[in-house]
Amino acid sequence: MINEYEIKKEICDIGKRIYNRGMVAANDGNISVKLNDHEFLCTPTGVSKGFMTPEFICKVDENGKVIQANKGFKPSSEIKMHMRVYKERPDVKSVVHAHPMYATAFAIAGIPLTQPIMPEAVITLGCVPIAEYGTPSTEEIPDAVSKHLQYFDAVLLENHGALAYADSLLAAYHKMESVEFYAQLLFLSRQLGGPKELSKEQVERLYEIRRQFGMTGKHPANVCVNAKNGKPSCHSCGACGSKSSCNADEEDVVATITRKVMKELGL
Ligand code: 13P
């Protein structure tokens, strides 16, 4: 098993990558890794994530309370957001938050990344919804993100940035890179007269490939209520286009209420 110091070094490497790729400015962004159910490593607040050494990295418990931090370092101000992801997604081992230029521009414009424009984005991300705006460091952001956690592995944070999570630190970082690449392509193709979207059939075939590969994580190919019912899903169902995600539970509640009303009316 990889030791804690090595994981701290890996967090610093990923910090350099997000900084050097312009996914964060100054002291922005934060990264965490789950060691076990009660111990998590996270970046400290208020430092440039591009210039960290392992001594910077803090250790917290599942409530975000400090277990170990070197003098002068305190856990990220967004630790509650990270902890909510771990709490509600036991499969997640790492969370990366950044402010990549294009993805954040979409988050500011209030436009979710839902247009199916290239196979890789459809297969790896599906759609990227927007979690409604919350004040940084409060429970508002975790609450907003929570609504999407069971359906997506990346979300835009309204007027703020992006959040990606996966079963390893590298995978969470790669997901963030994919979100930004997708956002950039979407932006550029909109400048060129608008993207030529993949058809519903092409999207369905890509979803099928994802299912066949047995790819882990949450994705519209597996959890979209329409896909569950054997209908064209997510990219074409329109639910991702709204700020609320494709929510199977909500759909089930609506179906249950409709059934009850119809029964009452004797229909
Ligand atoms: P921290 O330095 O406290 O992690 O905050 C950076 C940030 O990007 C807040 O959204």
Side-chain angles (χ1 to χ4, degrees):
M1 152 146 172
I2 187 160
N3 75 37
E4 224 171 276
Y5 190 73
E6 290 300 319
I7 299 172
K8 288 181 180 178
K9 281 204 304 196
E10 202 190 336
I11 292 174
C12 298
D13 286 346
I14 296 296
K16 276 194 192 77
R17 287 205 208 187
I18 61 170
Y19 184 75
N20 292 342
R21 286 194 60 125
M23 291 176 155
V24 289
N27 296 340
D28 295 349
N30 28 71
I31 302 167
S32 67
V33 170
K34 180 176 180 174
L35 298 174
N36 57 56
D37 287 348
H38 306 293
E39 293 177 305
F40 302 79
L41 295 177
C42 71
T43 51
T45 185
V47 308
S48 171
K49 290 14 176 235
F51 296 91
M52 298 183 299
T53 56
E55 296 68 36
F56 283 42
I57 306 302
C58 306
K59 193 195 269 192
V60 295
D61 69 12
E62 64 274 30
N63 301 311
K65 295 274 170 299
V66 180
I67 297 175
Q68 195 275 323
N70 286 328
K71 198 164 180 296
F73 297 107
K74 282 196 290 195
S76 167
S77 58
E78 298 289 7
I79 194 66
K80 292 185 190 115
M81 170 174 74
H82 289 243
M83 289 305 138
R84 184 68 74 88
V85 179
Y86 294 118
K87 186 172 175 203
E88 297 186 4
R89 285 286 301 273
D91 57 313
V92 167
K93 298 282 188 296
S94 180
V95 177
V96 174
H97 165 53
H99 303 164
M101 186 79 71
Y102 289 87
T104 306
F106 276 89
I108 290 169
I111 305 170
L113 307 177
T114 56
Q115 288 181 273
I117 54 165
M118 65 176 306
E120 287 77 4
V122 170
I123 290 178
T124 57
L125 295 168
C127 299
V128 184
I130 302 182
E132 71 205 23
Y133 180 77
T135 309
S137 84
T138 68
E139 289 292 343
E140 290 170 16
I141 298 182
D143 288 347
V145 165
S146 168
K147 293 177 192 152
H148 303 279
L149 285 175
Q150 300 310 318
Y151 307 99
F152 301 94
D153 282 346
V155 292
L156 300 182
L157 307 175
E158 193 171 26
N159 289 82
H160 183 165
L163 187 69
Y165 31 95
D167 56 4
S168 74
L169 173 53
L170 192 60
Y173 165 72
H174 279 156
K175 197 134 283 186
M176 183 62 79
E177 238 184 39
S178 300
V179 169
E180 177 60 353
F181 193 61
Y182 177 18
Q184 196 166 354
L185 287 173
L186 199 50
F187 178 85
L188 291 173
S189 55
R190 283 176 170 221
Q191 306 304 301
L192 296 170
K196 185 175 154 293
E197 291 187 10
L198 299 173
S199 69
K200 286 179 190 177
E201 292 70 31
Q202 286 167 329
V203 169
E204 276 309 310
R205 281 170 68 189
L206 295 169
Y207 280 9
E208 192 46 43
I209 288 173
R210 187 186 158 101
R211 289 185 203 108
Q212 279 167 13
F213 283 179
M215 288 167 73
T216 55
K218 306 289 184 187
H219 184 279
N222 307 329
V223 296
C224 172
V225 66
N226 284 336
K228 204 176 81 176
N229 294 335
K231 294 184 202 151
S233 56
C234 210
H235 278 104
S236 47
C237 77
C240 294
S242 65
K243 281 182 188 170
S244 66
S245 59
C246 275
N247 187 326
D249 294 335
E250 274 172 21
E251 293 283 339
D252 287 344
V253 169
V254 171
T256 308
I257 292 171
T258 307
R259 266 198 307 278
K260 281 188 180 161
V261 171
M262 287 176 80
K263 201 173 162 204
E264 287 293 315
L265 295 173
L267 297 171

